[in-house]
Amino acid sequence: MTTDERRDRLRDLVKDRGFAALGELASQLSVSESTIRRDLEMLEEAGLARRTHGGVYWTGDSDTISVFESRNDDFWAAKQSIGRAASELIADHDTILLDGGSTVYELARLIVHRPLQVVTNSLPVAHLLSTSDSIDLVMIGGCVRGRTSVTIGPLADSQLANIHVTTAFLSVAGVSPRGFFNSDMMLVESEKAMLASAERGIVLADHSKFGKTSLSRICELHQMDTVVTDDGLDSDAKAWLESAGVQLRLAQSPLTQTPSAQSSSAQASTPQSPQKTSAPAPTASPSNSSPTHSLNNANLS
């Protein structure tokens, strides 16, 4: 068996099982555990697996649920960096909510091994996290939007009204001085319900989303606590967020990282504003004093 054949077989084994132990893989492929570890490093770098103590979880795409095949674009590396930066804002044993955006999915890949309670309306996210023994997973029901594989609508909104999470991580189609936008009106209604259920709201969006609007507005800038984006963000967009009192966290893209900065995936900018009371420390557990979101009067664009 050649190296490429072994790695293809390893990928298939991890994908089929969801989780596999190192010793089991070494025995199955008749190689040493050190060889398996080297092969798994390549899978992990490709975003297909996540190593943990004694084994590995599959975090790649599923054969049964479509996972953003049509969304592989020039900003994929930036989305991965944003996902890494966002993962640093989550403390073990937090209760979080993840929506169905492609950047949020990159975050989900990184937390599959962590002890968390996760609420989601995303079928791909739920499928991914269902492989983890450490995740307490809650799936929101409702009408399934085929193009994005998320649940939305009145049933989803009524369920969201009866839950409470520490942090909601949301994706958007556009960010402008007027606020945060998405193109699907029913999805926006569910995202408003997500924000209302959370102590703090965090938007994950690459810099291409800034300066754009869409059909329906989720909320105004000041109604979101934090934005995590990449370091391609321009100064005008930084000024909008700062003037609104939104905390900004810039994920350093791989192309701009220096060798000394490889171990640090993000730089935080935390403007002071009397409107915000949530703790700015990127690795601290979210504060229970974060403001309650009031979104009943949000307008369409």
Side-chain angles (χ1 to χ4, degrees):
M1 184 184 300
T2 67
T3 299
D4 287 342
E5 289 172 340
R6 183 185 71 246
R7 288 174 175 171
D8 286 344
R9 177 60 178 153
L10 174 67
R11 181 194 60 211
D12 291 342
L13 286 171
V14 178
K15 182 177 182 180
D16 290 344
R17 299 177 187 183
F19 174 83
L22 290 181
E24 178 185 11
L25 292 170
S27 175
Q28 190 83 17
L29 297 172
S30 301
V31 294
S32 66
E33 289 192 13
S34 60
T35 298
I36 292 296
R37 289 190 184 94
R38 287 193 296 272
D39 291 347
L40 290 177
E41 284 179 6
M42 298 190 65
L43 280 183
E44 192 168 30
E45 289 173 1
L48 299 177
R50 180 74 179 181
R51 289 177 295 169
T52 186
H53 180 69
V56 59
Y57 287 101
W58 176 255
T59 60
D61 294 351
S62 163
D63 288 334
T64 57
I65 298 179
S66 176
V67 184
F68 313 115
E69 286 89 347
S70 63
R71 298 186 183 182
N72 292 328
D73 54 30
D74 294 337
F75 300 102
W76 181 70
K79 292 176 180 181
Q80 288 186 307
S81 296
I82 292 167
R84 285 192 292 272
S87 71
E88 297 172 4
L89 300 176
I90 302 171
D92 286 351
H93 308 292
D94 273 354
T95 298
I96 64 173
L97 189 151
L98 305 179
D99 80 354
S102 56
T103 310
V104 175
Y105 188 82
E106 293 302 321
L107 166 61
R109 289 181 192 270
L110 298 173
I111 62 170
V112 68
H113 65 296
R114 293 181 59 181
L116 297 166
Q117 187 169 47
V118 179
V119 178
T120 186
N121 71 328
S122 166
L123 296 181
V125 169
H127 182 74
L128 169 66
L129 298 184
S130 67
T131 64
S132 173
D133 291 333
S134 64
I135 298 286
D136 182 6
L137 181 65
V138 177
M139 180 73 201
I140 297 297
C143 300
V144 178
R145 192 64 107 205
R147 183 172 59 88
T148 54
S149 295
V150 297
T151 56
I152 56 177
L155 179 58
D157 299 348
S158 66
Q159 287 184 275
L160 287 163
N162 290 302
I163 67 169
H164 172 266
V165 298
T166 303
T167 308
F169 292 90
L170 305 180
S171 54
V172 297
V175 187
S176 82
R178 294 190 59 216
F180 301 92
F181 295 81
N182 258 326
S183 57
D184 187 318
M185 294 177 67
M186 287 184 66
L187 173 61
V188 165
E189 290 305 310
S190 292
E191 287 181 318
K192 291 176 183 178
M194 291 175 184
L195 279 177
S197 74
E199 293 179 14
R200 66 173 181 171
I202 298 180
V203 161
L204 309 187
D206 67 74
H207 72 271
S208 70
K209 305 293 176 60
F210 288 79
K212 297 180 179 179
T213 60
S214 194
L215 178 65
S216 188
R217 186 169 68 176
I218 303 167
C219 66
E220 297 179 12
L221 289 181
H222 71 86
Q223 292 174 289
M224 197 67 67
D225 295 280
T226 303
V227 167
V228 185
T229 186
D230 61 274
D231 55 7
L233 190 67
D234 64 34
S235 57
D236 287 344
K238 291 177 183 177
W240 309 336
L241 298 171
E242 182 174 0
S243 63
V246 179
Q247 295 183 28
L248 175 63
R249 186 171 176 83
L250 296 180
Q252 195 170 28
S253 63
L255 294 178
T256 61
Q257 285 184 356
T258 61
S260 62
Q262 292 295 326
S263 62
S264 175
S265 63
Q267 300 169 336
S269 173
T270 55
Q272 299 298 316
S273 169
Q275 299 178 43
K276 297 292 174 185
T277 58
S278 52
T283 57
S285 179
S287 169
N288 290 334
S289 63
S290 301
T292 300
H293 299 277
S294 178
L295 300 173
N296 294 332
N297 295 322
N299 297 320
L300 299 180
S301 63

